[in-house]
Amino acid sequence: MSAIYRRELKAYFDSVTGWLCIAFLCAATGLYFMVYNLFYGYPNLSIALYYSLFIFLVAVPILTMRSMAEERRSKTDQLLLTSPCTVTGMVLGKYFAMLTVYAIPHVLFCLYPLVLYFAAGSTGTVYFASDYASILAFFLLGAVYIAIGLLVSSLTESQVIAAVGTFGLLLLFYLWDSLLSFLGGEPVVSLVGLLLLVAGLAALLQSLTGNRTVTALVGGVGAVAVIAVYLVDDALYDNLLADLLSQFSLNAAFQSFALEYVFDLGGLLLYLSLAFLLVFLTIQVVQRRRWN
């Protein structure tokens, strides 16, 4: 894994990709820091971080689009898959290299509360605890988005498709809360939504395992269970779909840190769990291609 990590990290800084990602993150967050904290006088850095969440829509596709897709296009993935390095080590090496590039701007972010401290002088108050907690949450949120980009890149050999696909998914999560507000609370809406989720899970299982029997079993049992519960007591499905999907709102978890000044341990666990799951799925995708 260490060899892959060093190779990928060197590649990011030998090309413009790594520098462009770092420069964009620093410039965008620095602009919001200057406007909200230095010009308008907000004492919390978390405000600037919250309103700069859109930067992930640009920075993450740039950072992740070549991670796996370029290997497939140039056929160098065949060398990696037959090398002594395990698939897990290869994927983790690439993922940690991207996290390292992404972590560099956060060193600068950690200096912002100190700038506020010296700018406020003896008359102002700086909230170090909430600011550094927000920086941590901001980093973990980006780690989830990078894992999404890594997974999308592993599914194609085109960097353009990987970038566009990643952008589309990140835009979906960015607008997640707004989209949920359009969902109706009627039981039948929740029923249809849950059946679609079961179908999506079955399709994902089929793509990962290629086992139609297991896919049909999981999809059939899930669909029967969802319909059976609805027929027994449809009142249980009131607002069920919206309530279920709201638990996966990534921005809402960060909002607890940035706007409500609450250390949301559940939100951090959500970020870590999703990052782990997405990296695991990437490993399974590459592993299946290896054996095929």
Side-chain angles (χ1 to χ4, degrees):
M1 184 182 76
S2 60
I4 300 294
Y5 171 79
R6 292 193 299 270
R7 169 181 174 267
E8 290 295 312
L9 194 60
K10 183 176 183 297
Y12 278 117
F13 289 108
D14 283 346
S15 66
V16 72
T17 304
W19 298 109
L20 180 62
C21 181
I22 293 172
F24 180 73
L25 286 169
C26 291
T29 54
L31 177 63
Y32 276 88
F33 171 72
M34 180 182 67
V35 172
Y36 282 98
N37 298 114
L38 299 183
F39 185 75
Y40 287 119
Y42 285 97
N44 298 93
L45 171 64
S46 55
I47 297 291
L49 293 179
Y50 179 78
Y51 286 107
S52 61
L53 287 177
F54 76 94
I55 64 176
F56 290 124
L57 300 178
V58 178
V60 172
I62 292 174
L63 185 63
T64 62
M65 63 182 184
R66 60 164 293 275
S67 56
M68 304 293 294
E70 176 63 18
E71 301 284 3
R72 292 185 62 181
R73 187 193 65 80
S74 61
K75 306 301 182 184
T76 54
D77 63 325
Q78 299 177 13
L79 296 175
L80 292 175
L81 294 176
T82 56
S83 67
C85 179
T86 64
V87 171
T88 301
M90 179 185 72
V91 174
L92 289 179
K94 289 176 174 290
Y95 182 62
F96 288 145
M98 289 186 289
L99 282 186
T100 301
V101 175
Y102 171 64
I104 292 175
H106 288 70
V107 177
L108 180 63
F109 300 163
C110 290
L111 299 178
Y112 288 169
L114 298 177
V115 173
L116 289 177
Y117 174 77
F118 289 111
S122 59
T123 60
T125 302
V126 178
Y127 302 94
F128 286 106
S130 64
D131 283 347
Y132 286 116
S134 298
I135 292 174
L136 173 62
F138 192 79
F139 175 80
L140 293 179
L141 176 58
V144 175
Y145 287 153
I146 289 173
I148 292 174
L150 179 66
L151 177 59
V152 174
S153 183
S154 70
L155 297 173
T156 179
E157 63 180 27
S158 170
Q159 295 187 42
V160 175
I161 294 176
V164 172
T166 301
F167 174 83
L169 287 175
L170 298 192
L171 181 62
L172 173 65
F173 282 109
Y174 184 74
L175 301 175
W176 190 264
D177 295 322
S178 299
L179 294 176
L180 289 183
S181 65
F182 291 101
L183 285 178
E186 296 80 4
V188 66
V189 174
S190 296
L191 173 65
V192 173
L194 290 176
L195 289 176
L196 290 176
L197 289 177
V198 171
L201 178 61
L204 177 62
L205 188 62
Q206 171 65 26
S207 66
L208 292 177
T209 65
N211 191 320
R212 294 183 179 180
T213 303
V214 174
T215 301
L217 181 63
V218 171
V221 171
V224 169
V226 169
I227 295 173
V229 174
Y230 177 80
L231 293 177
V232 171
D233 186 5
D234 62 352
L236 295 174
Y237 283 70
D238 287 335
N239 294 311
L240 178 61
L241 182 62
D243 292 340
L244 177 63
L245 294 179
S246 65
Q247 302 303 313
F248 297 93
S249 174
L250 300 181
N251 286 354
F254 183 73
Q255 184 175 338
S256 299
F257 289 89
L259 302 183
E260 300 170 8
Y261 313 118
V262 174
F263 190 88
D264 187 0
L265 182 59
L268 296 184
L269 292 177
L270 173 65
Y271 291 158
L272 291 172
S273 300
L274 287 177
F276 174 82
L277 175 62
L278 291 164
V279 172
F280 173 77
L281 291 177
T282 304
I283 293 172
Q284 300 311 305
V285 170
V286 178
Q287 191 75 265
R288 183 189 176 193
R289 190 166 69 249
R290 178 185 188 183
W291 293 112
N292 287 343

